Amino acid sequence: MKKVLAFGLSLMLLLSLVGCGAAKSGTSTPAKDEQKPLKIGIVQIVEHPALDSARQGFLETLKANGYEEGKNLTVDYQNAQGDQSILQSITQKFSSAGLDLVLAIATPSAQAMASASTNIPILITAVTDPVEAKLVNSMDKPGKNVTGTTDMNPIKEQFELMKTLIPSVKKVGVIYNAGEVNSQVQVAIAKKVAAELGLEIVEATVTTSADVLQASQSLIGKVNAIYVPTDNMVVSAAQSVVQISHKNKIPIISGESSVVDKGALATIGINYKNLGKQTGEMALRVIKGEKPQDMPIEAQKDFDTVLNQSAIDLFGITVPEDMMKKAVIVK
């Protein structure tokens, strides 16, 4: 009887210990897996509203998905201020900084970062033609440590918008940096589109942002309208183009909306904040283990028509009623 009683007590004690161990184990398991801290670099060729918006959209997407600066996200943001030597220095630093990934904003930044590292995942945005820039093997299969989004403009639609708003247009001045690949690609397309629409292109090239005012002045008396592509150097000095435009009554059609905000007449173009968000979604996939070389370059599907009311009034433009209803109007 004593042996039976002793066995029973021992069994109860054993079950009690097992139960306590399970309970203890259960309390040590978190309800939700914590995200691994993320360390990223962001390199931007120059400050201007479109590129800044792309960066903001990218970071907003990361934050919305649990990656927040000061908590589990460290961001090293560097701006080259349009200087190639500074850009090279930034990308070389990033290549050995132990980063989880890099966001390269605009073609020169992407090219410099891709040259500096073939190992770190590189997300690009605001790059017009990644293939022409030799960043990827193809749009569908990059084949390298680079993927992201293109900001290829609807150039044909922009020139058609020009014809609609300025029916008398015959000659179009195009201001761009001849040394920037994305601008070369856009101007080549613009020439083809212009020929199809019976328009003549007059080129004005720049090598620094300080040249933009002089390039704009060179078009006075030669053109009926000015086209500003998504050229980083020209857009960073867009106020100079707008100054000549308004003083000499030469309307501007631009490649993106930040120039319209400053006084250009109109655009049908990229929403750069949304483009940055789209790039952020791609970055999340890379963080989860997808390989950039297998991720197709993405493009924005929907474009915004943006009109500047002050420019409409200044130039005496008649805007079709259906366009006014659908467009974003800035003052």
Side-chain angles (χ1 to χ4, degrees):
M1 184 66 182
K2 289 180 179 180
K3 289 181 178 180
V4 173
L5 183 59
F7 176 75
L9 288 170
S10 298
L11 182 62
M12 289 175 65
L13 180 60
L14 179 62
L15 291 172
S16 175
L17 289 170
V18 171
C20 289
K24 186 176 181 181
S25 174
T27 57
S28 66
T29 303
K32 184 179 180 181
D33 291 338
E34 293 184 4
Q35 288 169 315
K36 175 187 172 184
L38 190 65
K39 185 179 179 182
I40 69 172
I42 300 179
V43 55
Q44 186 171 314
I45 181 61
V46 70
E47 283 186 10
H48 69 64
L51 303 188
D52 295 343
S53 292
R55 184 180 75 250
Q56 291 161 7
F58 181 86
L59 292 172
E60 283 182 15
T61 293
L62 293 189
K63 184 176 180 179
N65 286 273
Y67 292 100
E68 188 171 355
E69 286 188 78
K71 294 182 179 179
N72 60 351
L73 174 64
T74 301
V75 178
D76 186 353
Y77 166 61
Q78 299 290 330
N79 193 302
Q81 302 298 341
D83 189 307
Q84 284 293 330
S85 62
I86 295 175
L87 182 60
Q88 296 300 323
S89 177
I90 292 168
T91 54
Q92 286 299 323
K93 173 191 167 188
F94 278 2
S95 69
S96 58
L99 301 172
D100 294 300
L101 62 85
V102 171
L103 172 66
I105 305 175
T107 301
S109 304
Q111 289 174 315
M113 193 63 232
S115 295
S117 175
T118 56
N119 299 314
I120 304 170
I122 301 171
L123 276 297
I124 62 173
T125 193
V127 174
T128 302
D129 192 335
V131 176
E132 185 69 24
K134 296 181 171 43
L135 293 166
V136 297
N137 295 335
S138 72
M139 299 290 276
D140 292 329
K141 195 161 181 72
K144 300 181 181 181
N145 61 318
V146 178
T147 191
T149 55
T150 171
D151 67 346
M152 176 60 80
N153 277 318
I155 295 173
K156 182 177 180 181
E157 287 81 356
Q158 290 168 351
F159 271 74
E160 289 173 343
L161 175 66
M162 184 187 296
K163 290 273 287 185
T164 299
L165 297 178
I166 317 163
S168 61
V169 64
K170 298 294 181 186
K171 295 184 178 182
V172 180
V174 180
I175 306 172
Y176 70 102
N177 174 12
E180 196 166 317
V181 174
N182 70 310
S183 300
Q184 295 168 8
V185 170
Q186 291 178 81
V187 172
I189 296 171
K191 287 179 178 178
K192 182 179 178 182
V193 169
E196 292 171 355
L197 296 174
L199 301 175
E200 180 183 338
I201 294 293
V202 179
E203 298 177 48
T205 60
V206 301
T207 54
T208 71
S209 56
D211 298 334
V212 174
L213 178 60
Q214 185 176 350
S216 303
Q217 290 171 330
S218 74
L219 297 173
I220 298 171
K222 298 178 182 178
V223 300
N224 316 111
I226 294 173
Y227 177 68
V228 176
T230 57
D231 181 293
N232 297 300
M233 191 172 287
V234 178
V235 172
S236 70
Q239 200 60 55
S240 296
V241 190
V242 171
Q243 175 187 331
I244 298 302
S245 160
H246 288 190
K247 186 176 180 180
N248 295 277
K249 299 294 191 295
I250 310 171
I252 301 169
I253 300 296
S254 64
E256 47 98 354
S257 62
S258 73
V259 185
V260 181
D261 292 338
K262 293 178 180 179
L265 175 60
T267 188
I268 297 176
I270 297 284
N271 182 312
Y272 277 85
K273 191 165 191 179
N274 288 344
L275 192 70
K277 289 181 177 181
Q278 190 173 349
T279 314
E281 293 290 348
M282 297 183 74
L284 292 169
R285 290 163 53 194
V286 171
I287 293 165
K288 291 175 182 176
E290 287 193 51
K291 303 297 183 186
Q293 56 262 38
D294 300 324
M295 296 170 59
I297 299 292
E298 296 184 6
Q300 198 166 99
K301 296 177 181 177
D302 299 317
F303 300 101
D304 295 334
T305 298
V306 185
L307 305 174
N308 184 299
Q309 185 63 59
S310 297
I312 291 170
D313 296 339
L314 175 67
F315 298 118
I317 302 293
T318 301
V319 181
E321 188 176 342
D322 60 335
M323 185 183 294
M324 284 293 288
K325 288 179 180 178
K326 295 176 182 177
V328 176
I329 310 296
V330 299
K331 301 297 183 181

